[in-house]
Amino acid sequence: MKNYMFCFALIFAGCANIVPPSGGRADVNPPKLISSNPANKTTAFSSSSILLQFDEYIELKDKNGIQISPSCKPPPKIIVRGKRIEFELSCPLDTNITYTINFGNSICDLNEGNILENFTYVFSTGQVLDSIKIKGKVNHSYSHETIGGATIGLYKSFDLSRPYYYTYTNTEGNFLIENIKDGEYVIFGFIDSNQNLNYDLGEAVSVPENLSSFEGDKNLKFFYEEDKSKKISVSNTSRNSLIFENKLSTDSIIILNNSGFWNHDNEKSEFWFNNSPVLIEYLINGVADSIQLYNNLAPEIQLKVANDIEDIIKDKSLIIKSNNPIKECHSDSFVWSGGKQAIEPKIIDFFTIEVPIENANLKDEKLIIFPGGISFETGLKNDSTSFLLDFDPANYGTLNIQCINFQNNMILEIYDNTEIIKKHKISQEMRINYIKPGTYKLRVFEDLNNDYNWSPGLIEKREFGEFVYIYSDLLKIKPNWELDVQLNLEK
């Protein structure tokens, strides 16, 4: 009986879960390689298997993220057993080549999930390890923010089908590829969102370029390539409107069976109509299509001030933008606070109203639009609306800028984490007034196509995006204060 009980206890002991000991400090260290067979960086490699032994129990978060370069097909078989990884090679290996097995961020400890970042195992089928290396950094072209987790590859040609060598950037955007065989390569980087080791449209990417030298740091600028083949998204946003969501020129959409009013911006085109059709037929870039109307909700009226205080004072007019097409304005419904009547508002287009401000005090002002002051083509009228305007310069800061080595087609932007605050064409001496107190960044880009917006690169044509300069210091704007900045915009 005692023997049976002893065997029973062994069975249960063998099935026990691996659990961390209680108490003490939490484990914050990643697994550590304590041995490998064959040894890491072995030369004259002839084995078909590799055993990696770690100092704690491990798991692989993503086997698909483990890659071997140069390419090895069929892919190796990977097995995790407790504290070790068994790697079975079934592909033929080239002679006199150094191979790198890149585990990326796949290896972590079993209990705490601490990741062993960018672990690599290297071996050579020749008598020496290839010793050339390249290092560099990845930034976003427009913001210059560093990009972690990007795939950086060296390719034999511009077909970019699969990198011959590759690595990943760390959290600071730095990368290092070692053990490279001397030769000619194309360097190319991208965010491999679906981990297929290929660039797919919609992933952040750099322009592929010949690697002329391995010396020094290689800086790659990432951007999102515009998808010109993307299908246009069309939605029926109200009983009187459609939105075509894509960057389209104003003449690339034609409505075939209705008349109405167009409202275009950089991201979408909105079509308004005041009858009740069953469907709308349209032509986009010569291709006919239609959408059945399903939304019976009345459109919401939105009114907002489109120009900032500096432009209002300079132009002596307030610009109000509407999301609904405007039919008429009633001047007796537009007044400044205190009862002083504003100069008669002027309709600039179906979505824009101009309100002159000569009769305003240019201090703290409140423009009031009484209910029904604006009638819309959709049959709606506005509710009571007001805009509070602070014209007092003591509540704002001023930025004085001197520019050297600049181009006449450069655009300056002052921005924060959410929006662009100021935007101006560059000149040698600039004075920007009425900046709200806060902390901002400053950016200048070269507007090569004169569209007043930054344009990214093109992969197929191997064209880089427009030049971008980021001022290194933060702009700390204070009320009733002036800040002087000098910009050297030499490329």
Side-chain angles (χ1 to χ4, degrees):
M1 182 64 179
K2 290 182 180 180
N3 291 337
Y4 287 117
M5 291 181 65
F6 179 71
C7 293
F8 186 72
L10 281 178
I11 292 173
F12 273 88
C15 297
N17 291 328
I18 301 169
V19 296
S22 60
R25 294 181 179 179
D27 178 17
V28 296
N29 297 315
K32 180 180 179 181
L33 181 71
I34 57 176
S35 67
S36 58
N37 186 22
N40 201 356
K41 299 186 178 181
T42 289
T43 58
F45 182 93
S46 60
S47 177
S48 61
S49 63
I50 301 167
L51 178 63
L52 305 176
Q53 186 76 32
F54 294 89
D55 64 342
E56 58 182 316
Y57 291 97
I58 60 168
E59 65 175 340
L60 294 180
K61 299 183 70 173
D62 181 18
K63 289 186 179 181
N64 294 326
I66 302 172
Q67 302 286 346
I68 181 170
S69 63
S71 297
C72 179
K73 294 292 184 179
K77 183 179 180 182
I78 307 170
I79 302 172
V80 177
R81 300 185 190 276
K83 298 181 181 181
R84 67 186 184 187
I85 297 175
E86 297 176 6
F87 210 87
E88 297 291 337
L89 297 170
S90 53
C91 60
L93 300 176
D94 294 337
T95 57
N96 298 317
I97 292 292
T98 299
Y99 284 84
T100 300
I101 302 173
N102 195 325
F103 288 83
N105 295 330
S106 297
I107 302 175
C108 66
D109 64 45
L110 182 62
N111 294 317
E112 303 295 337
N114 298 311
I115 296 173
L116 178 59
E117 295 183 353
N118 294 326
F119 173 73
T120 57
Y121 176 88
V122 179
F123 63 89
S124 174
T125 56
Q127 297 302 314
V128 296
L129 292 173
D130 296 320
S131 58
I132 296 176
K133 65 181 179 180
I134 184 171
K135 61 188 179 73
K137 192 177 186 69
V138 170
N139 302 87
H140 192 283
S141 298
Y142 189 45
S143 67
H144 286 199
E145 293 178 354
T146 57
I147 299 177
T151 300
I152 310 300
L154 299 183
Y155 297 76
K156 289 290 190 178
S157 68
F158 279 100
D159 67 4
L160 306 178
S161 58
R162 192 174 181 87
Y164 197 69
Y165 298 101
Y166 72 96
T167 189
Y168 303 101
T169 58
N170 61 17
T171 54
E172 288 78 34
N174 299 310
F175 68 87
L176 171 66
I177 303 178
E178 298 180 290
N179 308 114
I180 303 170
K181 190 176 184 65
D182 191 20
E184 296 183 354
Y185 299 96
V186 172
I187 187 168
F188 179 56
F190 55 96
I191 297 291
D192 193 13
S193 300
N194 58 3
Q195 297 185 338
N196 64 352
L197 212 58
N198 283 293
Y199 164 66
D200 297 291
L201 197 59
E203 297 173 337
V205 66
S206 71
V207 173
E209 52 185 310
N210 282 314
L211 188 59
S212 56
S213 172
F214 291 95
E215 299 296 326
D217 287 0
K218 182 66 179 177
N219 294 322
L220 301 180
K221 301 296 184 183
F222 274 41
F223 58 90
Y224 288 95
E225 191 176 18
E226 183 178 347
D227 185 2
K228 296 184 178 180
S229 64
K230 183 180 178 181
K231 181 177 175 60
I232 308 302
S233 174
V234 185
S235 57
N236 180 200
T237 50
S238 78
R239 69 187 180 202
N240 299 104
S241 62
L242 294 176
I243 287 183
F244 297 81
E245 294 184 356
N246 204 347
K247 294 182 179 180
L248 298 166
S249 61
T250 56
D251 58 353
S252 61
I253 313 174
I254 301 174
I255 302 299
L256 300 175
N257 67 331
N258 214 312
S259 59
F261 315 93
W262 281 106
N263 190 16
H264 298 278
D265 62 28
N266 291 331
E267 301 296 332
K268 65 182 183 301
S269 295
E270 192 168 17
F271 180 70
W272 288 84
F273 46 91
N274 53 20
N275 53 6
S276 302
V278 176
L279 58 82
I280 293 289
E281 299 173 355
Y282 55 88
L283 203 66
I284 296 181
N285 296 325
V287 179
D289 207 339
S290 65
I291 180 173
Q292 187 169 355
L293 303 182
Y294 55 84
N295 195 333
N296 291 318
L297 297 177
E300 180 184 355
I301 296 173
Q302 296 176 0
L303 299 170
K304 65 179 181 179
V305 175
N307 51 346
D308 65 14
I309 295 295
E310 184 180 22
D311 291 331
I312 292 171
I313 293 175
K314 181 182 67 175
D315 300 332
K316 295 184 178 180
S317 64
L318 175 71
I319 302 298
I320 299 175
K321 282 287 187 180
S322 167
N323 69 325
N324 276 241
I326 302 164
K327 185 175 183 179
E328 60 179 334
C329 294
H330 306 285
S331 60
D332 57 353
S333 296
F334 284 68
V335 298
W336 296 107
S337 57
K340 182 172 60 177
Q341 185 172 343
I343 296 176
E344 184 172 349
K346 179 182 178 181
I347 298 177
I348 303 301
D349 57 43
F350 285 110
F351 299 91
T352 310
I353 300 171
E354 181 182 23
V355 180
I357 63 168
E358 281 94 347
N359 291 346
N361 289 326
L362 293 184
K363 202 170 182 182
D364 289 338
E365 289 287 356
K366 186 177 183 180
L367 177 66
I368 301 172
I369 307 175
F370 294 135
I374 306 173
S375 299
F376 300 92
E377 293 286 350
T378 54
L380 302 175
K381 295 184 179 183
N382 71 291
D383 294 328
S384 179
T385 306
S386 63
F387 300 103
L388 182 62
L389 307 172
D390 181 4
F391 292 109
D392 189 349
N395 295 329
Y396 300 89
T398 297
L399 184 62
N400 298 312
I401 305 174
Q402 286 190 335
C403 301
I404 59 174
N405 299 318
F406 67 94
Q407 305 294 324
N408 290 328
N409 61 352
M410 287 182 168
I411 306 296
L412 179 142
E413 293 176 334
I414 299 172
Y415 63 102
D416 59 16
N417 292 331
T418 59
E419 61 180 334
I420 297 173
I421 307 299
K422 296 280 187 176
K423 191 171 185 175
H424 294 272
K425 289 200 69 173
I426 205 85
S427 59
Q428 185 173 355
E429 293 187 357
M430 305 178 66
R431 182 178 175 86
I432 303 176
N433 300 303
Y434 290 95
I435 305 175
K436 291 182 179 180
T439 301
Y440 303 101
K441 299 177 184 179
L442 188 151
R443 167 174 57 217
V444 176
F445 67 88
E446 188 175 13
D447 189 19
L448 295 175
N449 58 3
N450 297 313
D451 67 348
Y452 208 59
N453 291 295
W454 178 76
S455 298
L458 296 172
I459 301 301
E460 186 176 349
K461 296 183 178 180
R462 285 182 244 156
E463 292 181 358
F464 291 90
E466 293 173 334
F467 166 77
V468 177
Y469 166 88
I470 303 286
Y471 184 60
S472 58
D473 296 332
L474 294 175
L475 305 178
K476 297 182 179 181
I477 303 298
K478 302 176 183 179
N480 202 26
W481 192 265
E482 295 192 9
L483 179 64
D484 297 330
V485 169
Q486 186 177 70
L487 305 179
N488 184 351
L489 300 175
E490 184 176 7
K491 293 191 285 185

